[in-house]
Amino acid sequence: MPKVIKTKTEFEGRTLEEYVVVEGEGLEPWEPQAALRFVGKGTPRIDGPERVTGKALYTADVQLPGMLYGKILRSPHPHAKIKKIDTHKAEKLPGVRAVLSAHNTPKIAFRRQTFLFDEIVRYVGDEVACVIADTEEIAQDALELIEVEYEPLPFVLDPEEALQPNAPKVHPSGNLLNGEPEVYQRGDLTEGFAGADVIVERTFRTQCALHNCMEPHGSVALWEGDSLTVWDSTQHIFGVREGLARLLGLPLHKVRVIKKYMGGGFGSKNNLGKYTVIAALGAKITGRPVKIILDRHEENLAAGNRPSSVQRLKIGAKRDGTLTALELKAIVAAGAYCLWPPSVGGPARELYLCPNVRTEQYTVFTNTGPLSAFRAPGYVEGTFALESMMDELAQELGMDPLELRLKNYAEYDQTTGRPYSTKGLRECYERGARLFGWNLSPAPSPKGGGERFRRGVGMASQIWSGNGMPPAYALVKINPDGTAAVITGTQDIGTGTKTVLAQIAAEELGFALDKISVEIGDTQTGPYAPLSAGSMTVASVGPAVRLAAHEARQQLLDVAAQVLEVPRESLTIADGLLHSSALPKPVAVHEVLKNLENFMIIGRGARAPNPEDVAVNTFGAQFAEVLVDTETGEVKVERIVAVHDSGRVINPLTLSSQIEGGIIQGLGYALYEQRIVDRNTGIVVNDNLENYKVPTALDVPEIVFEMVDRPDPRANNLGAKGVGEPPIIPTAAAIANAVANALGVRIYELPITRERVLKALGR
């Protein structure tokens, strides 16, 4: 009988409490040294041929008969009231089928802070109207014919300025999310700092970074009667379904969301976008399918960002390096709209053993593009400040930075008091230092030295969740020909999810990998799975797939024992063959099933709740070597060594892409990437890939990585944890520490540009 329990889940630094239905018996995790045939093996992507030949269907590739195209008119002002909008000229342009605005569409509340089309626009790029036309070109031309009369309003772009009493209000309720800061505290700070021999206090600043996914955001909407089908570039097909049903007043069974392939999201595609709702409304009004794909300009205005932060960090320690107190005050720019605060204080609360800690975060609305999740939101920013500070403290104490970290190694989660299910960070330190050649006391180059090129080394640590969450469901069908299909409502956002799920199913079924197909990305055909974010896709859906495969296997053995007339307990399956000591030779599965007409075996699996008595986290350490040109200010990262602990490795090949991709993205954050907003107009001046610098192949250093590969039996029945976000978390901090080591002077603001290097050197 199903049992309903209440459980807590950590997601991107936030603790969520929810009800979970527990069904049936769980499975014991595979033994750490189990001889597994498919799991743990580097396996090329099963959908690789479709991707490289262009057969893979992305949202922009969807072509439907009679399809129309939408283009969105966006605000040229950072804050204004729309006094009048005249769309008549646009509507008369040949090929234009509809113009949507606040005048002819329902007043749909969006994220509780605005409307689909609001009379107040709050950033340059906010949605004003949308033209639906026969072609994108006609729609674009029609946008220029829409006449809008704006009443400009006072605006504020800087989050520190937005906190001032006389600052313009972005929202009537004020500029502070939830009206108050988010505060965490344990112990007594006054007592902690009073007991310190050394106190270090610094201010760090991080920039606003843009996602720039290879595939832009977009949707195609089609109505068939009163049913809506949407092809969407999303990291959460069920979230988009729920949002559309709620906003459009539809029952869930009348909304279908499909996403077969994605070209990157990094968190920016976690939620329902306005463009999706607008496409659905446009399709309803015109009676024809509508496609809206954002261009690169729109991506960099309206698709979300990693917000900027100002972090004032204070650390106290004993002479032997023991931390006594840690205080963080952070200001984070939310942009115009935001429902949740990224957890900038997460690393400060969790990473190092410290009895007296207080974090205080102000998430502040500004008249700029809204923040969204971006690969370990908050933790990348917070780790840069914390790990830079640990190196500063080590220098004050005359200690090796790695020794200081080991001195304050935490064996349990200090925010909950629970022990870690597993923690391989000490091994990450040891293996990383050995691989890198860390000499325990790297001496910085003397400040003001005469040499032009200076070499430096640095390191940083990482903590993240990645434990997955319920509910997640999967089906495994065994066909009469001895093949099997995995069906679940998850989505592959480019990480190789289909391949990993096929490996899990093949392992549990005893089938060859090429006998397994995986069907995902469709709310109509797949049972529910959570969003692909927080490094939790495999850790959430994988256990459900294994359970479904196990149940299907048990059914197959039950049937085969009767057909073959052998004892049930004598049967095993390997390579799609049934083995038994009571049989003269192995029998193929399809030989048994063909005698049962079209009988189909269907196994069902559900993801179990997370354990309540332990904390499930991922850990890692990275070491960086840089070469700095003191004449030009150029920083060249020559080598990154990374060792991470994310539980059992299911597929080393797809995992390597995650590690390398995260490090490269962290490199860009450390050295190049920054959204630039004109302070006088609120306009983003580098809203394209020409002026917004991301790393290219020529910027990528040598990357050496290893995984601890220690299965976590408490995490789930796979022993696997997430790996999507951990590799980006420590990279910028490790590079910043290496630059400080090279120069003998620290740069407290990202990105570490040539200008900032030269300024730090007094040039």
Side-chain angles (χ1 to χ4, degrees):
M1 179 178 178
K3 180 182 179 182
V4 179
I5 67 170
K6 185 179 286 187
T7 186
K8 291 182 179 179
T9 300
E10 184 181 350
F11 174 68
E12 297 192 336
R14 291 167 283 156
T15 299
L16 310 174
E17 190 172 74
E18 58 188 0
Y19 287 100
V20 175
V21 179
V22 180
E23 305 174 65
E25 297 295 326
L27 288 177
E28 290 296 319
W30 291 305
E31 292 293 328
Q33 304 303 321
L36 303 178
R37 180 172 180 192
F38 301 108
V39 168
K41 305 300 189 294
T43 304
R45 299 176 188 236
I46 61 174
D47 55 357
E50 287 78 13
R51 293 178 182 273
V52 300
T53 59
K55 294 180 180 178
L57 189 70
Y58 294 82
T59 302
D61 297 322
V62 175
Q63 298 292 332
L64 302 175
M67 189 164 68
L68 303 175
Y69 299 83
K71 295 296 290 185
I72 296 172
L73 180 67
R74 299 185 178 276
S75 169
H77 300 283
H79 200 193
K81 180 177 181 179
I82 299 175
K83 298 182 66 176
K84 181 181 178 183
I85 181 167
D86 187 344
T87 61
H88 290 94
K89 291 181 181 178
E91 290 166 349
K92 292 179 180 179
L93 185 69
V96 171
R97 303 298 174 176
V99 180
L100 281 61
S101 69
H103 294 321
N104 62 353
T105 57
K107 196 170 186 178
I108 296 174
F110 204 83
R111 298 188 185 176
R112 302 198 299 269
Q113 294 161 346
T114 184
F115 296 96
L116 188 65
F117 295 113
D118 204 331
E119 65 175 9
I120 302 292
V121 288
R122 295 181 174 87
Y123 70 97
V124 174
D126 215 344
E127 291 81 358
V128 174
C130 179
V131 173
I132 309 297
D134 291 347
T135 67
E136 284 189 276
E137 292 76 16
I138 294 173
Q140 187 65 51
D141 289 343
L143 289 184
E144 299 175 10
L145 300 177
I146 298 175
E147 299 174 357
V148 185
E149 183 181 346
Y150 296 97
E151 177 187 332
L153 301 173
F155 62 90
V156 60
L157 306 177
D158 182 270
E160 291 181 283
E161 294 176 7
L163 283 176
Q164 299 305 311
N166 59 348
K169 286 188 176 182
V170 180
H171 295 283
S173 59
N175 293 343
L176 186 58
L177 178 66
N178 300 324
E180 60 183 9
E182 182 184 49
V183 177
Y184 167 86
Q185 183 164 340
R186 65 172 179 264
D188 187 321
L189 275 185
T190 302
E191 180 181 308
F193 284 118
D197 296 320
V198 174
I199 296 175
V200 182
E201 189 170 4
R202 301 286 188 269
T203 297
F204 298 87
R205 296 177 182 272
T206 64
Q207 75 278 35
C208 175
L210 303 174
H211 297 73
N212 275 305
C213 313
M214 184 73 75
E215 177 202 22
H217 295 59
S219 295
V220 176
L222 168 69
W223 289 87
E224 295 175 294
D226 60 353
S227 294
L228 172 64
T229 299
V230 170
W231 289 261
D232 202 65
S233 181
T234 177
Q235 295 175 235
H236 194 196
I237 56 174
F238 278 94
V240 171
R241 184 186 72 156
E242 187 278 331
L244 284 170
R246 174 170 42 84
L247 295 181
L248 300 180
L250 297 170
L252 289 173
H253 76 292
K254 293 292 186 179
V255 182
R256 179 184 185 185
V257 178
I258 301 170
K259 188 216 70 68
K260 294 299 184 182
Y261 290 89
M262 177 185 284
F266 312 120
S268 68
K269 297 175 181 176
N270 283 358
N271 304 303
L272 174 68
K274 278 190 178 183
Y275 53 88
T276 304
V277 184
I278 294 170
L281 289 174
K284 187 71 171 179
I285 291 171
T286 62
R288 292 166 61 176
V290 169
K291 177 190 287 188
I292 297 178
I293 303 293
L294 304 191
D295 60 26
R296 187 59 57 184
H297 166 75
E298 293 174 294
E299 284 284 297
N300 285 327
L301 294 182
N305 57 66
R306 185 188 298 280
S308 64
S309 74
V310 180
Q311 302 175 58
R312 297 180 178 91
L313 197 57
K314 182 179 180 182
I315 294 183
K318 295 287 189 182
R319 182 58 60 187
D320 67 356
T322 302
L323 297 183
T324 62
L326 194 159
E327 182 180 18
L328 170 68
K329 293 184 178 179
I331 298 173
V332 177
Y337 310 111
C338 168
L339 292 179
W340 55 273
S343 188
V344 172
R349 295 190 291 267
E350 302 170 25
L351 191 49
Y352 296 113
L353 189 64
C354 185
N356 307 297
V357 175
R358 177 183 170 88
T359 63
E360 185 175 307
Q361 178 173 320
Y362 296 79
T363 306
V364 186
F365 292 112
T366 57
N367 292 113
T368 56
L371 71 76
S372 66
F374 192 162
R375 205 166 190 167
Y379 275 62
V380 175
E381 302 94 298
T383 297
F384 161 68
L386 177 65
E387 289 294 81
S388 297
M389 196 69 157
M390 289 295 284
D391 269 35
E392 291 260 301
L393 179 60
Q395 187 171 5
E396 288 283 333
L397 295 169
M399 291 182 69
D400 172 74
L402 180 53
E403 181 187 352
L404 178 63
R405 288 165 172 83
L406 288 167
K407 178 71 177 179
N408 296 283
Y409 194 85
E411 298 287 359
Y412 66 96
D413 180 354
Q414 299 168 89
T415 64
T416 64
R418 296 179 297 179
Y420 291 115
S421 53
T422 61
K423 183 175 182 180
L425 182 56
R426 191 181 300 275
E427 187 172 348
C428 292
Y429 286 148
E430 294 169 354
R431 289 168 60 175
R434 186 171 62 252
L435 283 169
F436 186 78
W438 185 264
N439 65 10
L440 300 184
S441 56
S445 304
K447 184 178 180 181
E451 69 280 13
R452 173 177 175 178
F453 295 97
R454 301 188 191 176
R455 190 174 300 277
V457 296
M459 58 87 56
S461 317
Q462 167 262 315
I463 187 172
W464 185 246
S465 54
N467 59 331
M469 64 188 295
Y473 303 94
L475 301 176
V476 170
K477 301 191 302 183
I478 299 180
N479 299 307
D481 64 354
T483 60
V486 176
I487 305 171
T488 180
T490 190
Q491 47 279 309
D492 188 339
I493 61 173
T495 58
T497 300
K498 290 178 74 171
T499 305
V500 171
L501 297 185
Q503 289 176 264
I504 294 167
E507 193 71 60
E508 192 63 36
L509 286 171
F511 285 16
L513 191 63
D514 62 3
K515 299 296 184 183
I516 308 291
S517 66
V518 180
E519 297 297 327
I520 61 174
D522 191 334
T523 60
Q524 198 79 333
T525 59
Y528 178 85
L531 78 169
S532 292
S535 305
M536 67 178 197
T537 304
V538 172
S540 297
V541 183
V545 169
R546 186 183 170 209
L547 274 164
H550 177 79
E551 183 178 299
R553 182 174 182 273
Q554 297 309 306
Q555 292 180 41
L556 174 58
L557 291 173
D558 289 341
V559 170
Q562 297 174 63
V563 172
L564 298 173
E565 298 180 345
V566 297
R568 164 68 170 75
E569 61 274 13
S570 73
L571 280 175
T572 60
I573 309 174
D575 295 325
L577 298 174
L578 291 154
H579 298 262
S580 171
S581 58
L583 293 171
K585 63 178 182 178
V587 178
V589 167
H590 69 85
E591 291 294 334
V592 171
L593 295 181
K594 75 177 183 180
N595 297 319
L596 300 176
E597 298 288 339
N598 285 311
F599 172 74
M600 178 173 284
I601 292 171
I602 302 177
R604 182 177 183 273
R607 209 274 192 185
N610 289 323
E612 296 286 340
D613 59 336
V614 294
V616 181
N617 286 85
T618 66
F619 302 91
Q622 290 183 12
F623 299 76
E625 181 178 0
V626 304
L627 189 66
V628 184
D629 185 337
T630 61
E631 287 191 9
T632 67
E634 180 185 14
V635 176
K636 178 70 173 178
V637 179
E638 297 199 326
R639 185 166 55 115
I640 297 282
V641 170
V643 181
H644 286 268
D645 168 27
S646 286
R648 185 189 297 278
V649 174
I650 305 295
N651 187 339
L653 190 59
T654 54
L655 178 140
S656 69
S657 297
Q658 290 300 295
I659 298 292
E660 292 167 359
I663 289 172
I664 293 168
Q665 210 162 28
L667 168 73
Y669 186 67
L671 301 182
Y672 312 122
E673 299 185 40
Q674 182 174 17
R675 183 191 68 181
I676 305 297
V677 178
D678 186 297
R679 290 186 58 84
N680 297 313
T681 63
I683 294 173
V684 178
V685 299
N686 60 336
D687 59 351
N688 54 60
L689 286 175
E690 180 182 7
N691 297 314
Y692 185 91
K693 167 68 173 171
V694 297
T696 67
L698 295 178
D699 302 308
V700 176
E702 176 190 5
I703 297 174
V704 178
F705 78 90
E706 287 187 2
M707 300 300 295
V708 172
D709 198 6
R710 179 184 300 149
D712 186 340
R714 298 301 309 280
N716 49 63
N717 65 36
L718 304 175
K721 295 182 280 194
V723 77
E725 281 147 303
I728 193 178
I729 294 173
T731 308
I735 292 171
N737 285 337
V739 171
N741 175 248
L743 300 180
V745 60
R746 182 168 296 277
I747 296 170
Y748 296 94
E749 184 172 1
L750 294 180
I752 302 173
T753 61
R754 297 185 182 206
E755 179 185 13
R756 288 181 177 136
V757 169
L758 295 176
K759 183 178 180 181
L761 291 172
R763 302 195 175 170

